[in-house]
Amino acid sequence: MRIGVFVCNCGTNIAGTVDTKRVASEALSFADVVYATNYMYTCSEPGQQEIQRAIGEHGLQGVVVAACSPRMHEPTFRRAVEKAGLNRYMFEMANIREHVSWIGNDREANTQKAIDLVRMAVAKLRFNNPLFSSKMPVNKRLLVIGGGVAGIQAALDCADGGMDVVMVERKQYIGGKMAKLDKTFPTIDCSSCILGPKMVDVSQKENITLYAASEIESISGYIGNFTVQIRKKATYVNWEACTGCGLCTEKCPSKKAADYFNEGLGAARAINIPFPQAIPKKAAIDAQFCRQLNGKKCGVCAKVCPVQAVDFEMKDSIVTEQVGAIIVATGYDLFDHSAYGEYGAGRYPDVISGIQYERILSASGPYGGHIRRPSDGKEPKDIVFISCVGSRDASVGRPYCSGICCMYIAKQAILTRDHLPESNSYVFYMDIRSPGKNYDEFVRRAQEEYGVQYIRGRVGKIYPRGDRMVVQGADTLLGVQVEVEADLVVLATGVESSAGAGELAEKLRISYDQYGFYMESHPKLRPVETNTAGVYLAGACQGPKDIPSSVAQGSAAASKVQSLFAHDTIETNPQVALVNERTCISCGKCIQVCPFGAIQWKELRGGIKKAEVLPTVCQGCGVCNATCPPKAIQLQHATDNQILAEVNELCA
Amino acid sequence: MTDSSPRSSAPADQTAANTQGIKIVGFLCNWCSYGGADTAGVCRFKQPTDLRIVRIPCTGRMDPLFVAKSLIYGMDGVLVSGCHPRDCHYAVGNFYARRRMEALKLFLPFMGIDTRRFRYTWVSASEGQQWQKVVTEFSEEIHRLGPNPGVGPRSGENSKISNGLR
Amino acid sequence: MKRVAYYKGCSLEGLAVEYDRSTRIVCEAFGIELVEIPDWNCCGSTPAHSYDPLLSAALAGRNLAIAADNGCDMVMTPCPGCLKSLKGAQETCEDPQQRKAFVDLVGKDVDGLKTVSLLQLLYEEVGAEALQKAVQRPLTGHVLIPYYGCLLTRPAQKARFDDPENPISMDRLIEATGATAPDFPYKTECCGATYGVTRNDFVGRLGGRILDMAARLGGEAIVVACPLCQQNLDMRQKQINKYYKSAFNLPVPYISQIIGLALGIDPKVLGLNKLCVSPRVLLEDRTQPDQEAQRVGAAVKPGPNQPGGIAGGESIQPS
Amino acid sequence: MERTNTLSIQQSRDNDFIREVEEASGQTVSKCYQCGNCMASCVYTFAYDYPVTQIMRLTQLGQRDTVLGSSSIWLCANCQACTTRCPQNIDVAQVMETLRVMSRKANTVSQRDIRVFYDEFLRSVKTFGRVFETGLLPVYNLRTKRPFTDFDLAPRLMWKGKLSFLPARIKKRKKIAQIFEVIKRDRFSKDGKARPEPLSSQTDI
Ligand SMILES: Cc1cc2nc3c(=O)[nH]c(=O)nc-3n(C[C@H](O)[C@H](O)[C@H](O)COP(=O)(O)OP(=O)(O)OC[C@H]3O[C@@H](n4cnc5c(N)ncnc54)[C@H](O)[C@@H]3O)c2cc1C
Ligand SMILES: Cc1cc2nc3c(=O)[nH]c(=O)nc-3n(C[C@H](O)[C@H](O)[C@H](O)COP(=O)(O)OP(=O)(O)OC[C@H]3O[C@@H](n4cnc5c(N)ncnc54)[C@H](O)[C@@H]3O)c2cc1C
Ligand code: SF4
Ligand code: SF4
Ligand code: SF4
Ligand code: SF4
Ligand code: SF4
Ligand code: SF4
Ligand code: SF4
Ligand code: SF4
């Protein structure tokens, strides 16, 4: 190989403490080096031209630039050599600035080190091979998993951009938690007024296909080209036919079905539409409570349905969709406060969770928007809110802050005052976390204008005394124990990852943290991307989030998808692993360790299986390479030979 | 730093004389530690010059044999540095690395190699200062230990590691 | 027959003799052989622990060592305070840093033993079901407040028994006797017994709170499993009434006495006459609701196995 | 610490104190985020000079004298409510216990009567191997100059045969006394802190 070496002075940045001339002349003595020089600013236009000129003039087949960090200018020089007709991977850099000239003043030692680094780069370059990216077509269909506000936003943004969107929601309706909320902070606008139109849009856009009451069965493929199997759960109602008239619900004799939408505060019928504005507005039977489906005689709904939509024989079905990108927006669940024995472990009917209170406040809720307490339907006079229940609490394994509860407590306390002007609200809090725009002002308003009594301290115990609840807490600012007798206690139960988040992550091959929240590629700079190309995150599935952030993330994820879909093809990174089928012993270890599921079995003729890397999925980490017993799988551009060549040069 | 090894009590001048050609190789992951070393440079944090850095994509790429061979064939110290746990660009590469490097540590004495010659650390791209500290401490340690008596021939043709690992 | 080492503790020698008596009888009734640890010594209680934790460990540990020497693998003590000391000794022994000092003082290690309270023994080794079957004289119609005290189930990592906030073992045993056990919110609240002697006002305040809640829930008696709780709530009930300006008159029997009663054992044998507040009300038979009216205030009918009812029931209450 | 308006942190902060408490209790005091749950749960808060939450805070700030001289640590009944409910998994009761031990060693026990009672209790254990309840009370009353405490209980207890007039003694009393001696001897050497053993024999066992 004919190699050229260019040693950069970088003004005095390098030449100040490194004898670049000597480095270049030493380089000439290395095997295969046919040309070496030093140059003032190699990365400048003239510098790059100098390289291109030398490539032509000396018939160079590989180039080493000894200059700054490759993290800085590798792409620049790669482009430069490419312009001169070399493959961009026939290029290496020696970092003699950040790693040499800037960290020591001993000119002799620096020069020696620079020579070593150039020698290592040359040694590696001898083992370099031209690598070529390939182009793959992009299927411009998007899958959105989860139909909460984040997923809806992402779906609508992409649909508006003209893309086909498939949305999968495991509940019978879309809207997520926000559909259950009464009003929303910090503006106190009605949740269904702002979410409702968006939900309707989802159902009306022609390029959105909605699968409600459905879950992801499996996912295969890779960026630009995923195949998704979707399990449509049996609803026992043919949704093509159902008009949402509600006759069936009216007549259904099974009146004590679980009312999930109202968080257990009311009772539903076995066949129902969870709420009047539900999208899709279709009935479904809760098999657990249906008489007919439990072997008893009924079938009333089938008889009354004007369009014969009820189908007791319905089974789950699987549909397959092809998409090019996936946005995960599966949201969150709420901490189950029965872990708190000292708060009654869920045994006291008048100790409820924040989301239950949200239903109580809601005009479409179980009490028609009148604040009543669940035990006896009385209007409460004293209401206590307790923050950080199942948040910031290491003893229940939830050390993180849920981020939304301080704000929704303030909101609920304000709304309580609006509903019941004679009532008193008390809030036990540890800290108030309200860092959004107009948020702290909102909390201040609760205290200053609405007279909500904030008490700084945690609550030790809640127990009944007579028909009221005693809340025994502390006011740490005063250093005293305090006791409040309350008619109703609202626990701000914390945010936890959505049920089944882990299993879904494994299907998607994305990672999640110890609490089940999905991990972004980079917490600051790639907040909606995952480490699996083509899979993006939006909303509370990534961590606790309020509506504004969830929506912002929905749009951010949508824009990532749009920039991906702006291309008809994508270029692959050729620095991927490659299997030598002759030496592969088919042990499968690489398949086990690959964090991205990039390796699969390939069946050769005669039924022999060999490992095969999917270049589009491989991210180039090299874990497989280090694992493979016969070293049959090699990471291109960082092969064993290349790495050892560098070390070898040093040992010499 | 304190060190109880007999070598550390060697007279200073002898140490200096012996350590002229100390060679340390560092395997740094591209995303965190290589960036950290760059940051240290950009901040002009002065460091000993014995270290030569090999850039690898991820510490998960580290084959323990890279370390073993380096030490057998005459490197005086080997430093492996990657992203902090949970910060791995490739999600879990550094967990694999940690497991392998821990195993390697147990294994080195059987090859007659002082485990102090090998170190595995985590440095992120922003931790220039931390990198300076790691390099300085490790270089000092290797200087105290002096040249690696090694197990293989130290110089000449034979010292070349055969390319490929078998 | 299950053989269990029995660490009585000083209280059961003195102010809680009836607890000792009823414990032995009930265990025997269920085929549990209690082997009293020979020449046992005081566990040192809180005073030893606050002097030096190792003193506490060594004092308690000596008893465990003797139990082990006697071939027992389980040690039961009816006193939760003693239990805490015994468990503390085991913890010290398991702590690598203190193990040597401990073994030097005590003479051997004591890790292998299982240490339990009487309540745990009854709940786990006998069980509510077996108790229910053995009941001769159901306490149906009585409302008994289960009061566990602060130490029996706390802290959870050390007690390793029942729930620290809402224990249910005593509830279940009480229910097995036929009685009703209301959901008592102060099950594990401290009654202030430690300060029985030194801080009478604490007792008044804390004991009063517990008696008050028990009365609000319609309790006829507070059932306890701790000699200190018992003394505090029973012996000092008058002092409490004075402080709290109340007139509580709630008997405070031990769980072993309640079980004994349900088994049909003579109340006197169970030491019920040793209680300061008369437990007479517990002896009313309410199994036939229609006859209840007649029985109120009537002399107690002796149970099938008992010779003479609660002799001296009245006279034990000098007031 | 006197309650003044300014606490000069650097001057009063004793880092050794924090370390000693953490080592002896095995608890990380800095984990306490001052939520107040311990204070909310502690039924003795009304009697404490510093609620237990503030004891934790003072310990974080290294306020040795204030903490070891507080009445709170001696009024704590070790009831475990705080430990059971601390969201940060701190064994608060253990910290309080550690502080009691330290305050005994430093001879800064604020509650003389409690200390006297404990001393008499231990003296009884040391002498007889068990606690002699009947003997304990009068001695305690005498020494705390409150001769009539619980006077009202005595007749009833006698009547019920619950007070004995002879101390129960165990056989191997020597062994017990020996344990006491060893502990007493090693008590100060263990942590290497040579703090003066309280001089008054009255206040030691
Ligand atoms: C009591 C309470 C009050 C609140 N008040 C406010 C407020 O006033 N203002 C505000 O800004 N925020 C408020 N919030 C926060 C708000 O609810 C969230 O920010 C918002 O709902 C997050 O939206 P999301 O789409 O990320 O998640 P979600 O709303 O949880 O939606 C996720 C959706 O994904 C679906 N899903 C989950 N897993 C799967 C799966 N495996 N497959 C298919 N679908 C799946 C779920 O069924 C759900 O429909 C409040 C929260 C609570 C608890
Ligand atoms: C002390 C401090 C420490 C911080 N530490 C962190 C941290 O550790 N982590 C973290 O996440 N965040 C941190 N932040 C916050 C972080 O700085 C901001 O979140 C971030 O910089 C916001 O980026 P931006 O692009 O919106 O705004 P900016 O960084 O302010 O950029 C706006 C740019 O627009 C230019 N500009 C302004 N007006 C005009 C105009 N009229 N025409 C043309 N150009 C204009 C400005 O010159 C500027 O270059 C910190 C902030 C501070 C103050
Ligand atoms: S199933 Fe039939 S009756 Fe029920 S809502 Fe649908 S159309 Fe109406
Ligand atoms: S068949 Fe089931 S869902 Fe239909 S009306 Fe009867 S109970 Fe209701
Ligand atoms: S947002 Fe507020 S209430 Fe919620 S966990 Fe954070 S601090 Fe606690
Ligand atoms: S303004 Fe800044 S320092 Fe103050 S509470 Fe908000 S985030 Fe914290
Ligand atoms: S280099 Fe990494 S991502 Fe690529 S196949 Fe190997 S293990 Fe998988
Ligand atoms: S680890 Fe290597 S040998 Fe084993 S299957 Fe993978 S490539 Fe083949
Ligand atoms: S409960 Fe725990 S965290 Fe809260 S103040 Fe007390 S010690 Fe601190
Ligand atoms: S252990 Fe002490 S400090 Fe803790 S709650 Fe009980 S009495 Fe209070």
Side-chain angles (χ1 to χ4, degrees), chain C residues 16 21 23 27 68 114 129 141 162 171 191 204 218 224 262 288:
Chain C
R21 225 189 270 173
T23 294
C27 285
K114 182 170 180 184
E129 231 171 274
D162 214 336
D171 297 52
C191 68
V224 296
Q288 266 98 25

mmCIF file of all heavy atoms in Angstrom, chain C residues 16 21 23 27 68 114 129 141 162 171 191 204 218 224 262 288:
data_model
loop_
_atom_site.group_PDB
_atom_site.id
_atom_site.type_symbol
_atom_site.label_atom_id
_atom_site.label_comp_id
_atom_site.label_asym_id
_atom_site.label_seq_id
_atom_site.Cartn_x
_atom_site.Cartn_y
_atom_site.Cartn_z
ATOM 1 N N ALA C 16 -46.067 -9.669 85.927
ATOM 2 C CA ALA C 16 -46.831 -10.332 84.866
ATOM 3 C C ALA C 16 -46.894 -11.840 85.078
ATOM 4 O O ALA C 16 -46.847 -12.616 84.130
ATOM 5 C CB ALA C 16 -46.227 -10.004 83.503
ATOM 6 N N ARG C 21 -48.219 -17.800 83.499
ATOM 7 C CA ARG C 21 -49.108 -18.917 83.776
ATOM 8 C C ARG C 21 -49.953 -19.266 82.542
ATOM 9 O O ARG C 21 -49.988 -20.417 82.111
ATOM 10 C CB ARG C 21 -50.024 -18.527 84.931
ATOM 11 C CG ARG C 21 -50.142 -19.631 85.940
ATOM 12 C CD ARG C 21 -51.203 -19.283 86.929
ATOM 13 N NE ARG C 21 -50.669 -18.537 88.069
ATOM 14 C CZ ARG C 21 -51.467 -18.010 89.008
ATOM 15 N NH1 ARG C 21 -52.782 -18.136 88.933
ATOM 16 N NH2 ARG C 21 -50.952 -17.356 90.026
ATOM 17 N N THR C 23 -49.520 -18.468 79.477
ATOM 18 C CA THR C 23 -48.686 -18.896 78.354
ATOM 19 C C THR C 23 -48.405 -20.385 78.437
ATOM 20 O O THR C 23 -48.558 -21.134 77.472
ATOM 21 C CB THR C 23 -47.359 -18.109 78.364
ATOM 22 O OG1 THR C 23 -47.641 -16.741 78.115
ATOM 23 C CG2 THR C 23 -46.404 -18.630 77.307
ATOM 24 N N CYS C 27 -49.860 -23.145 75.750
ATOM 25 C CA CYS C 27 -48.903 -23.903 74.941
ATOM 26 C C CYS C 27 -49.081 -25.392 75.172
ATOM 27 O O CYS C 27 -49.071 -26.185 74.233
ATOM 28 C CB CYS C 27 -47.468 -23.469 75.263
ATOM 29 S SG CYS C 27 -47.076 -21.880 74.532
ATOM 30 N N ALA C 68 -29.400 -23.045 73.371
ATOM 31 C CA ALA C 68 -28.759 -23.884 72.361
ATOM 32 C C ALA C 68 -28.120 -25.098 73.028
ATOM 33 O O ALA C 68 -28.208 -26.220 72.528
ATOM 34 C CB ALA C 68 -27.725 -23.080 71.590
ATOM 35 N N LYS C 114 -33.932 -19.790 66.125
ATOM 36 C CA LYS C 114 -35.027 -18.937 65.692
ATOM 37 C C LYS C 114 -35.667 -18.348 66.945
ATOM 38 O O LYS C 114 -36.009 -19.074 67.877
ATOM 39 C CB LYS C 114 -36.051 -19.760 64.896
ATOM 40 C CG LYS C 114 -37.194 -18.906 64.389
ATOM 41 C CD LYS C 114 -38.099 -19.640 63.406
ATOM 42 C CE LYS C 114 -39.213 -18.675 62.970
ATOM 43 N NZ LYS C 114 -40.202 -19.246 62.109
ATOM 44 N N GLU C 129 -56.865 -21.536 62.627
ATOM 45 C CA GLU C 129 -57.807 -22.611 62.300
ATOM 46 C C GLU C 129 -57.861 -23.654 63.407
ATOM 47 O O GLU C 129 -58.935 -24.055 63.859
ATOM 48 C CB GLU C 129 -57.352 -23.270 61.000
ATOM 49 C CG GLU C 129 -58.448 -23.380 59.975
ATOM 50 C CD GLU C 129 -57.874 -23.829 58.652
ATOM 51 O OE1 GLU C 129 -57.418 -22.970 57.860
ATOM 52 O OE2 GLU C 129 -57.847 -25.058 58.453
ATOM 53 N N GLY C 141 -69.824 -12.614 70.425
ATOM 54 C CA GLY C 141 -70.569 -11.478 70.961
ATOM 55 C C GLY C 141 -69.703 -10.488 71.719
ATOM 56 O O GLY C 141 -70.138 -9.392 72.019
ATOM 57 N N ASP C 162 -45.507 -10.652 60.638
ATOM 58 C CA ASP C 162 -46.720 -9.876 60.429
ATOM 59 C C ASP C 162 -46.400 -8.529 59.781
ATOM 60 O O ASP C 162 -45.291 -8.289 59.322
ATOM 61 C CB ASP C 162 -47.449 -9.697 61.760
ATOM 62 C CG ASP C 162 -48.975 -9.685 61.580
ATOM 63 O OD1 ASP C 162 -49.423 -9.354 60.474
ATOM 64 O OD2 ASP C 162 -49.703 -10.000 62.524
ATOM 65 N N ASP C 171 -55.615 -10.304 65.567
ATOM 66 C CA ASP C 171 -57.008 -10.177 65.096
ATOM 67 C C ASP C 171 -57.555 -11.552 64.747
ATOM 68 O O ASP C 171 -58.661 -11.928 65.135
ATOM 69 C CB ASP C 171 -57.098 -9.288 63.851
ATOM 70 C CG ASP C 171 -56.650 -7.855 64.089
ATOM 71 O OD1 ASP C 171 -55.536 -7.683 64.609
ATOM 72 O OD2 ASP C 171 -57.404 -6.922 63.763
ATOM 73 N N CYS C 191 -47.541 2.958 73.803
ATOM 74 C CA CYS C 191 -48.427 3.293 74.904
ATOM 75 C C CYS C 191 -47.697 4.051 76.003
ATOM 76 O O CYS C 191 -48.300 4.460 76.988
ATOM 77 C CB CYS C 191 -49.068 2.044 75.479
ATOM 78 S SG CYS C 191 -47.903 0.971 76.327
ATOM 79 N N GLY C 204 -50.126 8.890 80.973
ATOM 80 C CA GLY C 204 -51.478 9.430 80.953
ATOM 81 C C GLY C 204 -51.887 9.814 79.546
ATOM 82 O O GLY C 204 -52.958 9.464 79.052
ATOM 83 N N GLY C 218 -66.099 0.644 70.736
ATOM 84 C CA GLY C 218 -66.990 -0.277 71.414
ATOM 85 C C GLY C 218 -66.285 -1.479 72.017
ATOM 86 O O GLY C 218 -66.903 -2.520 72.263
ATOM 87 N N VAL C 224 -53.690 -7.785 74.861
ATOM 88 C CA VAL C 224 -52.292 -7.421 74.636
ATOM 89 C C VAL C 224 -51.406 -8.660 74.565
ATOM 90 O O VAL C 224 -51.815 -9.756 74.931
ATOM 91 C CB VAL C 224 -51.773 -6.492 75.755
ATOM 92 C CG1 VAL C 224 -52.523 -5.177 75.762
ATOM 93 C CG2 VAL C 224 -51.865 -7.178 77.103
ATOM 94 N N ALA C 262 -61.212 -19.223 75.878
ATOM 95 C CA ALA C 262 -61.955 -19.852 74.794
ATOM 96 C C ALA C 262 -61.779 -21.366 74.815
ATOM 97 O O ALA C 262 -62.655 -22.115 74.399
ATOM 98 C CB ALA C 262 -61.516 -19.275 73.457
ATOM 99 N N GLN C 288 -75.974 -17.234 72.988
ATOM 100 C CA GLN C 288 -77.392 -17.252 72.622
ATOM 101 C C GLN C 288 -77.933 -15.840 72.693
ATOM 102 O O GLN C 288 -78.229 -15.347 73.764
ATOM 103 C CB GLN C 288 -78.207 -18.139 73.580
ATOM 104 C CG GLN C 288 -78.370 -19.547 73.089
ATOM 105 C CD GLN C 288 -77.362 -20.471 73.720
ATOM 106 O OE1 GLN C 288 -76.883 -20.192 74.809
ATOM 107 N NE2 GLN C 288 -77.021 -21.546 73.047
#
